[in-house]
Amino acid sequence: MRNPASGICRALLGASLLWLSHVALAWDADTAITLAMERDEGLRALEQRRSALSERAVADGSLPDPEVMVGVEGVPVSDPFDADMMTMYKIGVRQRFPAGQTRELTRQRTGQEADTLAAEISARRLDIARETRTAWLDWASAWRSLEIAEQAAEAFEELEEITKARYRAGTGRQRDVDQARMELALLERRILVKRTGVDEAASRLARWTGGHPDVAPEGSLELLEKPEALAHLQRRLANHPILLAGDHRVEAGITETRLAHQAYRPSWMVEAGYAHTRGMNPMTMSRQSDKLFAMVSFSVPLFTADRQDRRLSAARSDLRAVNHERGLELQRFKGELSRQHSLWQSQDQQLEWMQSRVLTSAEATVESTLSAYRADRASFDELVRARLALLDQQLETINIRQARTAATIELAWLTAENLP
């Protein structure tokens, strides 16, 4: 007679294969990161902003556009359309020169803002790599858990066959057969839950890569190498793009302070031109000679209390604030680095214990209990408990491995390791 529970399990496995046939792609973590980099709109936006600042820096270092002057001077009020000896038609050019090193410092400040964005682009790439690795890890771990659960279901199918064979031989109980079917049904429901978890994790991964992974994850759950000692990692914190962006903001703040100092210097303006006269000299009755003119003017920053002084004070306050923010980021990074390193060590110790002691003991217990059950020296309840204990410890091992790898991902992000 065909076993209904076995048929259900085969149906579940068939549904799993059908589900796999509807997904599109297969990749490892590195491939997922490449796909995420290619489609991230935030990264493109930052690159465009950096390009804009690079162009603006050149423009900020240029002189203001020259001004052309066209006018008339000495027009008679009594007859505006006539001209006398004082009337001049003038055309000239005016050029303004900003105070001191204003142009150079403005160009320098804009360039430093572009450097800040370049660091933010690197930080964005790090964020994408971290989020994609984490999403891939969640998906791969969920898949591994599903595989373990399906293997356990196959083992319980074998247990069911054993209980039925013993019952037919008169050495077993109908209760054992029923319990085997119940445990298999409960495990099949557990498989459904695991499959839902795989689907949800794949959807989170698709948020970065744009597509669902296919079949099974490629590669190990160990995405990165074992981290170095904490002291070595702390020395590499300064290379993180977020902290480098803070350094560039400090440099821009210093430049802004120097720029505020330039307001205490005069700005200049030079004019030169040509004046044409149409009036007649009444003494000689000849046309007045044309004229050339030139002029230099400059500002006189006498009243600085409410403008220059205030702007310089504001620039200095902004610079102090940026320095404090950079220090706060470094403090936060150091604390998080220490926490993640301790977490990695804890998970690593747990994983070593699980692999060397717990899993070995659980597998040995299953084998010995199964042999004892075949020899009628152990109850089926003991065999079920041993098999479920092995399953739980196998799943817990995957969870510990996932947590350890997640800590490695965070450490790699904090130290800008393997910057894409």
Side-chain angles (χ1 to χ4, degrees), residues 156 183 187 190 383-393:
F156 269 96
E183 295 294 344
L187 190 53
R190 200 167 179 176
L383 180 58
V384 168
R385 284 196 301 271
R387 192 64 188 82
L388 290 178
L390 175 60
L391 172 60
D392 290 339
Q393 297 311 311

Side-chain angles (χ1 to χ4, degrees), residues 119 123 127 239-247 249 329 332-333 413:
D127 289 343
N239 296 325
H240 196 283
I242 290 180
L243 297 178
L244 291 178
D247 292 337
R249 290 191 183 95
E329 285 288 355
R332 180 175 68 86
F333 270 62
W413 179 84

Side-chain angles (χ1 to χ4, degrees), residues 126 236-237 239-241 333 410-420:
L126 268 180
R236 289 174 22 203
L237 278 180
N239 296 325
H240 196 283
F333 270 62
E410 291 298 318
L411 289 172
W413 179 84
L414 288 165
T415 56
E417 182 181 353
N418 298 328
L419 179 64

Side-chain angles (χ1 to χ4, degrees), residues 24-46:
L25 298 171
W27 53 64
D28 56 13
D30 291 336
T31 304
I33 291 173
T34 301
L35 292 171
M37 293 291 181
E38 291 175 352
R39 70 184 300 271
D40 187 71
E41 295 293 341
L43 192 58
R44 295 177 184 176
L46 287 173

Side-chain angles (χ1 to χ4, degrees), residues 60-125:
D60 288 344
S62 302
L63 282 171
D65 290 335
E67 302 173 19
V68 176
M69 303 175 296
V70 178
V72 60
E73 183 179 331
V75 178
V77 177
S78 59
D79 189 1
F81 296 100
D82 196 6
D84 59 20
M85 62 178 297
M86 302 300 295
T87 303
M88 290 186 295
Y89 298 91
K90 303 170 66 175
I91 183 170
V93 179
R94 177 187 296 129
Q95 179 65 61
R96 301 179 187 274
F97 296 90
Q101 296 179 309
T102 298
R103 286 190 301 117
E104 174 61 24
L105 291 175
T106 302
R107 182 200 61 78
Q108 184 176 336
R109 181 191 58 188
T110 307
Q112 288 163 346
E113 291 175 356
D115 292 339
T116 300
L117 272 179
E120 290 179 358
I121 289 172
S122 297
R124 177 65 182 176
R125 295 177 69 86

